[in-house]
Amino acid sequence: MRIIHYAAALALMLAAPGANAASARTADVLRPSAHPVELRTAPREISVTYTYKGQERTLDDFLGRTKTNGFLVLDGQDIVVERYTGAGRATRFQSWSVAKSFTSAAVGIALGEGRIRSIDDPVDRYLPELAGSGYAGVPIRALLRMSSGIDWDEARDAPRLQVAANKGYPIKTMAARQERGWDWGERFEYTSMNSFVLARLVTKATGVPYHDYVERKLWQPAGMESTATVGNDSHGDSLGYCCYYATGRDFARFGLLYLRGGKANGRQVVPASWVKASTRPSPANPRYGLHWWLGEGGDFTAAGFGGQYIYVSPRHGVVIVKSSTAAVRPDQEEALTAFRAVAAEVARTR
């Protein structure tokens, strides 16, 4: 799983909304649900070891090495592990690219409502400003699969994108200047600009600003308990590719929503068909679905730079949320190994 190069990501992090007082203003609010999904506190001792690269390791060691400041494990609606370091239940953690999976959910809801006719439609049908760009004629599905064909290098271009957003530059202008590097669908290329375009697609297709649509159709119906914020470029466009600031418990509720096939509080929030489609392998990358990273045995992950994760194990009925305080070298493969061991142990000790 490749999210973003370490050195480039460090520059991105330092330029991100929330990194300083000025940039913290460029965010929109998501108000919580009047009827939060109940998460019951039911702690129990979970002793986990796993083997990675031929070495036996412990969960505690992994969490320490990766500077974890928030770690939650759900067994259904029961919180069996909840740990914080220099943080707490009220802390709003930075999502980084975990936000991309929220954007995917918003697209799926808009599709289910008929606001988007088909994800095989070209994206410029809804965003005519892209008609002269590399996005012209590219189906929405290709953006979701990160195979849009845009000439993009995440390590080089994502930090530039974030700096531009932080300085208040209209990202839609940057999107309209993107060029085609290869045929869409030809190869997988992780591209944060794709996620911005999808967030803007939601706005244009629904007639409702992305953050308002997420609040009304996803955040509140999914039973989120706390206020969150979503980064924007200060020109009315949510970023879509990053910068949700939310509590660990609400990130866990999002994972629980997908564990339950898109349902929360007895209501179908995200179409079940979209949850299934999002977690099926893409032709260009069998480890990636529709803005979700895919694992083995049906598990899947929303993942962000620096060690931010929402891991879902349908096999074991477990959701894991991990947040980290600082840029550390990529730990994605080890994280998945550790999460699978945790999920298996939770299931074993029921």
Side-chain angles (χ1 to χ4, degrees):
M1 183 195 304
R2 183 176 65 86
I3 297 176
I4 185 170
H5 185 271
Y6 170 74
L10 180 58
L12 186 157
M13 182 169 119
L14 294 175
N20 55 56
S23 66
R25 292 194 298 268
T26 60
D28 295 303
V29 173
L30 303 178
R31 292 166 296 184
S33 172
H35 305 285
V37 167
E38 180 187 8
L39 297 181
R40 299 177 293 264
T41 301
R44 66 178 187 258
E45 283 296 320
I46 302 292
S47 179
V48 173
T49 60
Y50 60 94
T51 302
Y52 182 68
K53 292 186 175 179
Q55 295 183 351
E56 187 172 285
R57 305 185 181 190
T58 68
L59 175 64
D60 288 342
D61 173 64
F62 171 70
L63 297 179
R65 281 188 288 107
T66 57
K67 302 184 185 299
T68 302
N69 63 340
F71 187 71
L72 283 81
V73 180
L74 294 187
D75 183 1
Q77 289 181 232
D78 291 342
I79 303 173
V80 296
V81 178
E82 186 171 25
R83 303 180 189 175
Y84 299 104
T85 302
R89 277 187 54 181
T91 300
R92 290 200 289 265
F93 298 97
Q94 159 68 293
S95 71
W96 294 112
S97 287
V98 166
K100 291 178 170 69
S101 299
F102 283 88
T103 296
S104 173
V107 171
I109 294 169
L111 179 69
E113 291 186 328
R115 305 297 187 94
I116 297 170
R117 188 183 67 86
S118 169
I119 59 171
D120 292 315
D121 283 348
V123 70
D124 53 316
R125 173 176 291 179
Y126 302 86
L127 300 174
E129 72 263 25
L130 300 180
S133 76
Y135 282 110
V138 178
I140 297 164
R141 187 187 303 272
L143 278 70
L144 287 160
R145 287 175 167 174
M146 293 296 184
S147 58
S148 64
I150 294 304
D151 186 9
W152 185 272
D153 183 299
E154 187 77 356
R156 175 196 68 210
D157 295 322
R160 295 175 183 174
L161 176 64
Q162 191 66 9
V163 168
N166 207 37
K167 290 183 176 180
Y169 188 82
I171 304 303
K172 66 182 179 182
T173 300
M174 293 181 68
R177 292 176 178 170
Q178 296 305 305
E179 298 179 353
R180 186 76 60 83
W182 43 87
D183 291 340
W184 64 261
E186 182 178 294
R187 76 189 209 195
F188 177 86
E189 188 64 43
Y190 192 81
T191 301
S192 284
M193 183 62 82
N194 288 345
S195 307
F196 169 81
V197 171
L198 290 169
R200 185 159 168 76
L201 165 70
V202 169
T203 295
K204 288 298 183 179
T206 65
V208 179
Y210 170 88
H211 69 279
D212 282 340
Y213 191 76
V214 167
E215 179 187 89
R216 298 176 198 178
K217 301 293 184 175
L218 177 60
W219 196 257
Q220 292 178 348
M224 303 309 187
E225 182 181 32
S226 301
T227 299
T229 60
V230 183
N232 64 47
D233 67 356
S234 79
H235 289 268
D237 285 316
S238 297
L239 299 180
Y241 59 84
C242 85
C243 307
Y244 275 64
Y245 288 81
T247 66
R249 288 192 172 201
D250 280 341
F251 283 133
R253 287 182 173 93
F254 184 61
L256 184 62
L257 177 71
Y258 268 67
L259 178 66
R260 294 184 165 174
K263 281 188 175 182
N265 283 334
R267 173 182 175 182
Q268 195 72 48
V269 178
V270 179
S273 59
W274 186 257
V275 174
K276 290 179 182 177
S278 298
T279 54
R280 289 193 191 114
S282 301
N285 184 353
R287 300 279 310 273
Y288 203 74
L290 304 181
H291 271 39
W292 284 87
W293 293 95
L294 310 184
E296 300 170 354
D299 58 357
F300 51 94
T301 308
F305 155 71
Q308 324 308 323
Y309 298 99
I310 302 173
Y311 169 82
V312 181
S313 173
R315 175 186 176 187
H316 294 302
V318 169
V319 173
I320 299 173
V321 172
K322 177 183 181 296
S323 300
S324 296
T325 57
V328 293
R329 293 193 177 277
D331 66 349
Q332 295 94 334
E333 294 300 331
E334 183 175 1
L336 287 176
T337 303
F339 295 161
R340 287 173 185 139
V342 171
E345 182 64 10
V346 169
R348 189 190 70 81
T349 55
R350 284 192 178 110

